[in-house]
Amino acid sequence: MMMTMLHWRQTAPGIWSATAGEPSDFTPLGVLEPAPKVEALEAMGGTEPPFAWSDVQITVNQSNMIISFPLEEEEEIYGTGLQFMRMNQRGRTRYLRVNSDPKQDTGETHAPVPFYVSGKGYGVLADTSAIVTIYCGSTVRYEDSKLETVKDRNTDKSWRATPVSSRVEIRLPAEGARLYVFGGPTTEDAVRRYNLFCGGGTLPPKWGLGFWHRVPTMYNAAQALDEAMEFRKRGFPCDVIGLEPGWHTKSYPVTYEWDPGRFPEPSVFVQAMREQGFRINLWEHPFISPEASIYQELKPLSGSHTVWGGLAPDYSLPEARELYMKQHAEQHVAIGVSGYKLDECDGSDLTNHSWMFPAHASFPSGHDGERMRQMYGLLLQKMTADVFRREDRRTYGLVRASGTGASELPYVLYSDLYDHRQFVRALCNASFCGLLWTPEVRRAATPEEWVRRMQTVCFSPLAMLNAWGDGTKPWSFPEVEPIIRHYIRLRMRLLPYLYTAFARYRHEGIPPFRAMPFAFTTAERFREAAGRLAEGEQVLNTTDGAYGKQKAKEWDDQYMVGEDLLVAPVFTGESAREVLLPPGGWYGLETGLRYEGGRIIRVEAQLDQIPVFVRDGAVIPTMRAASHVPGIGEPNELIWLHFGTAPGSGWLYDDDGETFAYEQGEYAWTTAQVTASPAGEPELNLTRTGASIETFDKVSWRLGLSKLPQES
Ligand code: GAL
């Protein structure tokens, strides 16, 4: 075993990189070529990592390179991609292979990201297309072993299977990888630096934040239009209709060509939907049918193995990318299609699903199947995003595989798995790695489950009912239809607030939806608040076998939306729950009850309520629940809502909502400041900076609220 040195150099304020070995260019950052948001990084200023560079070690053996970072006893490890099973990965070995069916706690996931963030406030990334294993404090080197950690299981109850480790070890391929360290000082800062380095967060078009509905497989144009119009009749907002298998002439493998029987006039269909305020999103996957017109040209540019009889193109080749992009640009984007759902790009060959090309498949570029699988989701996201960018139109869509550097890609992850708690945890975990996730609703066994899932999805990056296989509608359970309508409408009312949260993602790298550690300034504060009950000093959830310490609950079942809202979903069978409130005063958004934060509270939540809390002093931009997001020039009233008794400020970001003009400065920020008048009454002061964009024709406000007003 050989030990070598790494040469770290600062590449941006608070970001260092080093090259270990001689890595290939076929890596996520090599392919995405993100432009770091230099100004925003500079505004964050410099920092130092909380460890000595000499403590970062590299060892090389015959088939691997191991990079190891020091780890303190209390240090949490977050991230490593879209993990479903736990939030703190400390004590676990994460095998970061893409997997469409990640049912076990191995680290495999739809979106493996060899990036972890420490509770001590720094992050580490390895940019490679190879499968990386991160030992998150699950190994102990001989020289680090301490005599007192050797315990006798026969007699010592404190014996634990996982030892206390003082290292994170990252196993890379023998060729090595480019490594990055992102400084803090907080967990949030480290994530922000990562996102900004990767080009900033994505800013969806405004319509992307409305409600989405996917119609069943094999629907035709008339059926899709009828189903869409039912939303209008019933007063359910909806902005996007998704088409599932059936719009292509063939599927599994696919042609990307409209079926003339079901969609005789695609452009007329897309236009008719648009006139009613609906955008069209198209389902597809990467494997190309022999009947597709691009098949012959793509054949020499494809891999050695087929999938469902279709080609697996080598999209690392520019010629292959151009063929795909041209076809999509001409046949979909040019007629007004708004985006894609990029399915089935997440297979691996050792799961129950054995449809994917094998790891040993070979591609004309020289890459093997294993690396191509790790990269497929990113390649497809990049190509489709580029097609829209060429047209100066923003898109927002769905993808089932992603990876490193994805923050700027306008895609939201989803899964065929369906555990509600895991769906909420995935929403939290996505925020550590520049990913977005939708806890999509498909079906439910009871009206209660239907409501609980719908409440969660309405507070997520993409609010969608995916009825492809179940044929469900939001009103499928008539006994709870008013509750569902209420939450879909509530999402629409919050749209200016959500859009502003995404603008901060874009410009400042702050994830719009984020896990609880983001809401505390230090890991110590998080631990302290999270470990104790309000009325006592009792530690929750006693022991966790992972690293043998008394450990508090992770709070991976609640999250922040923007700066001022905290969402604590309730699951089937519950009507009350505990909530960890960050410091400060809070109000139940729909109950008006006031709580003191910095502690754990217990709240009741009948079926028609999801516990959502708003910060005392928050000033939140809202609008009316229109049937769909109004376009520029259409009437739209901006309504500022100030909550509580404390003075405070809120922000509104605005731009045309559709194009990339904002990159040329075509956007405006409004600051809403609430202060107390000499008589003690709250007063609002609005100041605007930026371009003269007007998307609201009327502005009003309500101050000193304890809860969200009813729709007027
Ligand atoms: C699955 C996908 C579903 C649906 C289905 C259609 O792979 O996850 O959401 O699109 O394919 O066949």
Side-chain angles (χ1 to χ4, degrees), residues 619-624 636-642 652 672 684 686 696-703 705 709 712:
V619 193
I620 295 204
T622 66
M623 64 183 219
R624 291 186 196 286
N636 195 9
E637 181 180 353
L638 175 68
I639 310 163
W640 289 100
L641 302 178
H642 163 253
L652 172 79
L684 177 79
L686 298 174
F696 295 96
D697 60 343
K698 211 171 149 202
V699 181
S700 63
W701 50 87
R702 309 253 322 246
L703 309 181
L705 298 165
S712 53

Side-chain angles (χ1 to χ4, degrees), residues 279-592:
R279 317 276 168 156
I280 297 298
N281 175 284
L282 297 179
W283 168 93
E284 64 164 56
H285 66 62
F287 309 111
I288 297 177
S289 160
E291 313 252 337
S293 58
I294 53 176
Y295 182 90
Q296 287 306 335
E297 277 180 287
L298 272 172
K299 209 162 94 181
L301 306 172
S302 295
S304 56
H305 290 66
T306 58
V307 178
W308 299 306
L311 297 175
D314 184 343
Y315 288 127
S316 72
L317 302 173
E319 314 89 275
R321 289 205 293 273
E322 271 315 310
L323 285 169
Y324 170 99
M325 288 169 70
K326 183 167 182 289
Q327 195 278 342
H328 280 55
E330 289 172 2
Q331 295 192 28
H332 316 144
V333 179
I335 64 166
V337 164
S338 74
Y340 297 97
K341 166 173 167 179
L342 305 170
D343 205 18
E344 318 281 11
C345 45
D346 51 0
S348 53
D349 51 3
L350 298 176
T351 57
N352 295 338
H353 299 172
S354 47
W355 42 267
M356 193 43 149
F357 53 77
H360 61 262
S362 58
F363 285 81
S365 56
H367 304 311
D368 66 18
E370 185 164 292
R371 290 188 185 225
M372 195 57 86
R373 287 193 314 219
Q374 296 285 102
M375 295 288 288
Y376 237 33
L378 289 175
L379 287 164
L380 290 156
Q381 290 179 72
K382 169 93 171 111
M383 288 193 293
T384 44
D386 284 351
V387 172
F388 283 96
R389 191 169 254 283
R390 285 179 189 176
E391 298 291 315
D392 191 25
R393 277 166 58 192
R394 280 184 251 166
T395 181
Y396 198 44
L398 294 137
V399 69
R400 229 173 57 189
S402 197
T404 299
S407 59
E408 204 193 1
L409 296 169
Y411 282 93
V412 180
L413 285 148
Y414 65 97
S415 176
D416 275 348
L417 300 184
Y418 202 49
D419 182 282
H420 191 187
R421 281 182 187 278
Q422 288 182 9
F423 271 26
V424 174
R425 187 177 298 123
L427 204 157
C428 296
N429 284 341
S431 64
F432 295 111
C433 297
L435 302 171
L436 296 170
W437 159 259
T438 173
E440 66 170 38
V441 180
R442 298 197 288 268
R443 58 176 188 277
T446 59
E448 180 192 4
E449 185 193 345
W450 189 247
V451 168
R452 292 312 191 193
R453 285 181 178 275
M454 279 287 192
Q455 287 169 333
T456 307
V457 88
C458 285
F459 289 96
S460 82
L462 196 149
M464 181 172 73
L465 171 54
N466 176 12
W468 77 275
D470 299 287
T472 44
K473 332 279 173 213
W475 47 90
S476 279
F477 293 85
E479 54 278 64
V480 294
E481 184 176 330
I483 306 179
I484 307 299
R485 186 185 291 106
H486 169 79
Y487 281 101
I488 296 180
R489 295 181 72 88
L490 177 52
R491 178 175 179 95
M492 280 301 271
R493 292 173 69 188
L494 290 173
L495 204 126
Y497 176 75
L498 294 175
Y499 193 58
T500 302
F502 271 95
R504 298 198 68 186
Y505 190 33
R506 175 81 203 139
H507 296 285
E508 297 168 58
I510 304 171
F513 292 79
R514 51 196 186 276
M516 292 318 293
F518 284 88
F520 291 82
T521 45
T522 62
E524 286 72 28
R525 294 225 173 113
F526 173 58
R527 275 179 222 141
E528 193 190 356
R532 294 170 202 290
L533 288 172
E535 46 303 348
E537 290 289 276
Q538 188 190 341
V539 174
L540 290 174
N541 264 19
T542 53
T543 38
D544 174 279
Y547 63 109
K549 292 203 53 140
Q550 277 226 313
K551 191 163 147 292
K553 181 171 150 165
E554 294 298 340
W555 301 101
D556 51 7
D557 58 356
Q558 59 172 74
Y559 51 91
M560 301 298 300
V561 181
E563 285 303 302
D564 295 318
L565 293 182
L566 185 156
V567 177
V570 169
F571 304 93
T572 304
E574 297 177 343
S575 57
R577 62 161 289 167
E578 271 153 3
V579 180
L580 170 64
L581 278 186
W586 294 85
Y587 291 86
L589 182 70
E590 295 194 81
T591 63

